[in-house]
Amino acid sequence: MAVDATTTGDRLPFHRLSAEGLAALARGDGDDAVVEELLGAERSRRLLLLRALDGGLPPHEDLPVPYAEAWALLARVQRHAPDAFEQVLMSPGTGMWVSLAVRRLRGQVYEDAPLWVIVGHLAALAAAAGARAGLDFSITVPVRRGLVPLPTLGCAVLPEREQPEKEHPEKKHPEKKLPEKEQWSTARVVGRGGRLRITAGHDEVEVAPGWDRRGPGWLPVRRVELGCGDHAKSLVLEELDPYRTFPRPSEPRPLSTAEAERWESLLAGAWEVLRRDEPESARGMRPGLMSVAPTPARERFRPHSSTAGDAFGAVTASRPDDLAQLAATLVHEFQHTKLGGLMHLGPLLAPTADDQPEELFYAPWRDDPRPLGGLLQGIYAFFGVTRFWRTHRHTADAAYAPLAHFEFALWRTQVWSTLKEVRGHQRLTPVGRLVLERLSERCASWMTDEVPAAELRLAEDVAQDHLARWRAHHLRPPAAAVEDAVQAWQRGEARPPAALAEETVLAPDTEVRFLDSAAVLARHRLSEPEGPWRHTAARYGADAGGVDGAEAADVLLACGDLAGARAAFAARLTGKGAPVAAWVGLGRALAGDPAHAAASRLLLGFPERARAVQDALETATGQGADPVTLATWLAHHPT
């Protein structure tokens, strides 16, 4: 296999992104022409990774799956049916697999399968390519826990077989037989006249030509056709490829008929929303978005999705609440895909010095502090989300419009604040600077867009809440200043020491979760002002109708009961085991009271001070201070 690029003299071939393509990606855009450029580079990258895998393998004859056999069949397919070869090569799972396989050879382990199974996946790809090409062939492939995946075609399911009896080291009698599949074994795949026969021992699965019909022991790849005519798009609803999930592979998860139909309906509807509200993104997705791997539904307003730079074109996503949410998710993940493709052509950041730790930043869409590279990915993805909601709020149904206005206002604020924080960072390469400058220019123009007052204020409150909660969990004032503050409080001094306002220390709280609970409650309020969430959101866990991370005081605050919320937060903070976020909730509850304006500003701007001093007081005396009184006292110096 060879990279199909043109050489000049003795120089190696390389890819260039056109000026138009770079300009579009720097703006956060990218239509089908730009995506085709990225796909061309991705193709070469995968061929080079295959060559690296081939060069780093142990002797082929030591592998249960003959690697040379797979390589020869792939080369044969490339010669006789290049389209079939390209379909398998450019499948997202192929990119994920070859990257992980090369990493495994270099000592990084991402799955529990033995090396020969991981490397032998090349034979499964070759069998799929051979079938697509209509060639006659016979090849040995790995069996994964009784499953034989043939990527882009489907998956054979072998009958369960009992494991042989094994002698327990401390017993004379054998253990009871367990009806479970063997972990790792091999099967023979034979292709003749378009028909496949998959044989493992006495088990055999026959697959009729076309491979798209479900049969005994055979699960075909499920394809979805979106739109029609010039706007049609084909998409794989990926259930079967073990390398459909990131960063680790997973066993197939076949959808029920009802699940599949629900997903097909959601994807069809979301595609029409994208064509209307994000036409350029939709054009880019036509060649660039190849598969969606469904995962189980999650708590309302907390969907989960992911992509991987090595799996260009693939998205994993939990079942969405509605069409707009799915459309926004696809935009978000496709932004990651485009930026990942750009980064494969050139870095956005210069590497850090070997003796310097990775700098960490606040990311408004995460619970944890993020390195700069991860922050740039988030900026680019949520820039796309902001752009989607900016348009969709004007096309959504009237009942949905308040939520859409809120989403636009929230993500506009979060992206803009983060861009301002890092746009001039010294580690940015010229391409990285160009991307952040162009994104900043566009986002700045959006900051003047009108948003209804109620939704705008709610978005501002939620953004402030998230940052304050993040500070309370991850930042610590100077330890000596906290100790001095405790002593000053005990002596009855009028104000805390000025050193308490000095630079904080980042101490990541690795256990914190659900810093977005205020945003989730706001979405409930906007979508169902008098809905059942008012009574169920404080229950533990989403299965009980609750909002994870929310307590009764948070719900009172979301409902606008400031007096009730203030009393509830104060009671929690006076007792033992109060949640850290209660300091922020108290600050928001006090915001409407002029008599406690200073305390509110302190708790929303620097909640880490109140937390640290209260914790130190409890340690020193066994009892904390009244939280409102303490916050008022802490506010008595310049911040």
Side-chain angles (χ1 to χ4, degrees):
M1 285 175 280
V3 178
D4 63 343
T6 303
T7 58
T8 302
D10 295 329
R11 294 171 58 191
L12 291 174
F14 59 91
H15 286 272
R16 285 186 181 275
L17 185 65
S18 68
E20 295 80 8
L22 178 58
L25 292 171
R27 294 192 308 269
D29 295 331
D31 60 10
D32 50 338
V34 176
V35 171
E36 292 288 3
E37 290 188 65
L38 295 178
L39 283 169
E42 179 64 20
R43 178 184 184 278
S44 292
R45 181 175 180 272
R46 291 187 187 181
L47 290 172
L48 290 171
L49 283 170
L50 283 170
R51 182 61 68 184
L53 178 66
D54 184 55
L57 281 174
H60 297 170
E61 61 269 16
D62 293 341
L63 300 175
V65 175
Y67 180 82
E69 183 180 73
W71 191 266
L73 178 55
L74 272 177
R76 184 177 157 211
V77 172
Q78 189 184 29
R79 287 193 304 271
H80 294 283
D83 286 347
F85 174 82
E86 296 297 329
Q87 286 176 314
V88 172
L89 175 68
M90 297 308 295
S91 173
T94 300
M96 196 70 209
W97 161 73
V98 70
S99 177
L100 294 182
V102 170
R103 290 189 177 104
R104 177 65 177 265
L105 289 180
R106 297 173 180 177
Q108 299 179 48
V109 179
Y110 290 87
E111 58 177 308
D112 60 354
L115 177 62
W116 70 265
V117 171
I118 297 171
V119 172
H121 188 71
L122 184 73
L125 296 172
R132 286 187 165 279
L135 300 179
D136 290 347
F137 65 90
S138 179
I139 190 169
T140 300
V141 301
V143 178
R144 294 169 168 264
R145 298 184 173 95
L147 303 172
V148 185
L150 299 180
T152 76
L153 300 186
C155 180
V157 182
L158 301 177
E160 289 189 350
R161 55 175 93 190
E162 293 184 336
Q163 288 192 343
E165 295 180 349
K166 293 183 179 180
E167 194 78 18
H168 192 281
E170 298 178 0
K171 296 180 180 180
K172 295 182 180 179
H173 300 290
E175 291 287 297
K176 184 179 179 180
K177 294 180 181 180
L178 298 176
E180 59 182 29
K181 301 182 181 72
E182 295 179 2
Q183 290 270 332
W184 320 109
S185 57
T186 61
R188 195 72 180 171
V189 179
V190 177
R192 292 288 184 274
R195 181 177 296 273
L196 295 176
R197 187 172 70 252
I198 302 159
T199 307
H202 298 293
D203 299 325
E204 186 170 283
V205 174
E206 291 268 356
V207 184
W211 329 290
D212 57 351
R213 292 187 297 276
R214 189 165 184 156
W218 177 252
L219 299 174
V221 165
R222 197 185 301 268
R223 300 184 185 279
V224 181
E225 296 300 322
L226 307 178
C228 58
D230 294 340
H231 304 294
K233 170 170 178 52
S234 180
L235 187 71
V236 171
L237 197 56
E238 184 59 83
E239 318 154 80
L240 306 175
D241 192 325
Y243 293 95
R244 72 192 183 283
T245 53
F246 331 117
R248 292 173 175 80
S250 59
E251 292 189 24
R253 180 186 172 270
L255 299 172
S256 68
T257 300
E259 278 184 293
E261 290 176 350
R262 174 64 173 154
W263 267 101
E264 290 172 9
S265 175
L266 285 165
L267 287 165
W271 181 246
E272 294 307 312
V273 171
L274 290 171
R275 284 188 50 235
R276 181 192 65 202
D277 296 343
E278 280 273 319
E280 184 167 346
S281 289
R283 289 196 298 274
M285 288 181 191
R286 286 190 68 195
L289 178 63
M290 304 174 196
S291 68
V292 173
T295 62
R298 291 163 57 106
E299 181 186 334
R300 191 179 180 200
F301 298 120
R302 277 191 172 128
H304 178 266
S305 60
S306 63
T307 54
D310 294 320
F312 193 108
V315 170
T316 66
S318 60
R319 193 176 69 208
D321 300 329
D322 52 53
L323 298 182
Q325 188 185 85
L326 179 55
T329 294
L330 294 178
V331 170
H332 175 279
E333 297 302 341
F334 198 62
Q335 290 288 106
H336 281 307
T337 295
K338 291 185 297 184
L339 190 64
L342 176 61
M343 292 171 65
H344 283 164
L345 290 170
L348 303 185
L349 296 173
T352 57
D354 292 339
D355 59 345
Q356 289 191 344
E358 184 77 67
E359 187 178 6
L360 299 176
F361 297 84
Y362 167 63
W365 35 81
R366 296 278 299 211
D367 292 331
D368 55 332
R370 297 292 289 159
L372 186 54
L375 191 66
L376 296 188
Q377 282 281 358
I379 288 171
Y380 201 79
F382 280 97
F383 177 90
V385 170
T386 307
R387 184 186 61 215
F388 169 78
W389 289 113
R390 181 174 184 254
T391 300
H392 186 69
R393 65 199 181 111
H394 298 302
T395 63
D397 294 339
Y400 199 92
L403 180 58
H405 283 300
F406 166 80
E407 298 288 3
F408 168 64
L410 175 63
W411 297 119
R412 171 183 71 174
T413 297
Q414 304 292 46
V415 171
W416 177 240
S417 65
T418 312
L419 280 167
K420 289 193 298 182
E421 177 73 15
V422 300
R423 62 186 293 186
H425 199 281
Q426 61 182 4
R427 283 186 59 202
L428 290 169
T429 64
V431 173
R433 284 195 297 273
L434 175 67
V435 170
L436 291 195
E437 287 299 326
R438 294 296 175 267
L439 296 183
S440 296
E441 290 169 4
R442 291 189 73 185
C443 194
S445 71
W446 298 345
M447 297 304 293
T448 59
D449 287 359
E450 291 189 6
V451 176
E455 286 83 356
L456 178 61
R457 179 58 185 166
L458 187 57
E460 291 171 345
D461 288 347
V462 164
Q464 186 179 44
D465 182 282
H466 190 279
L467 174 57
R469 289 180 186 228
W470 188 92
R471 291 185 65 97
H473 277 279
H474 298 297
L475 298 183
R476 300 288 181 272
V482 172
E483 183 178 346
D484 290 345
V486 169
Q487 295 173 1
W489 171 268
Q490 292 174 319
R491 291 192 298 266
E493 294 183 10
R495 63 185 65 241
L500 197 63
E502 293 178 359
E503 186 174 357
T504 55
V505 176
L506 179 63
D509 179 353
T510 58
E511 302 299 320
V512 63
R513 296 182 66 198
F514 309 123
L515 294 185
D516 66 337
S517 58
V520 174
L521 289 170
R523 293 179 177 111
H524 278 286
R525 174 180 170 181
L526 289 167
S527 59
E528 293 183 286
E530 302 298 326
W533 65 273
R534 299 168 72 97
H535 309 291
T536 63
R539 295 178 183 172
Y540 179 77
D543 291 342
V547 173
D548 279 322
E551 296 197 348
D554 297 296
V555 179
L556 290 172
L557 189 59
C559 292
D561 183 356
L562 297 185
R566 171 184 167 178
F569 281 123
R572 287 291 277 128
L573 289 164
T574 302
K576 297 290 185 182
V580 173
W583 289 106
V584 178
L586 179 60
R588 290 181 64 195
L590 294 172
D593 185 351
H596 295 102
S600 176
R601 286 195 298 271
L602 183 284
L603 291 176
L604 293 177
F606 307 96
E608 68 276 6
R609 297 178 194 172
R611 178 198 176 183
V613 173
Q614 182 81 314
D615 287 351
L617 276 170
E618 290 179 351
T619 300
T621 67
Q623 184 176 356
D626 174 78
V628 177
T629 305
L630 178 62
T632 302
W633 180 74
L634 289 170
H636 285 166
H637 64 74
T639 58

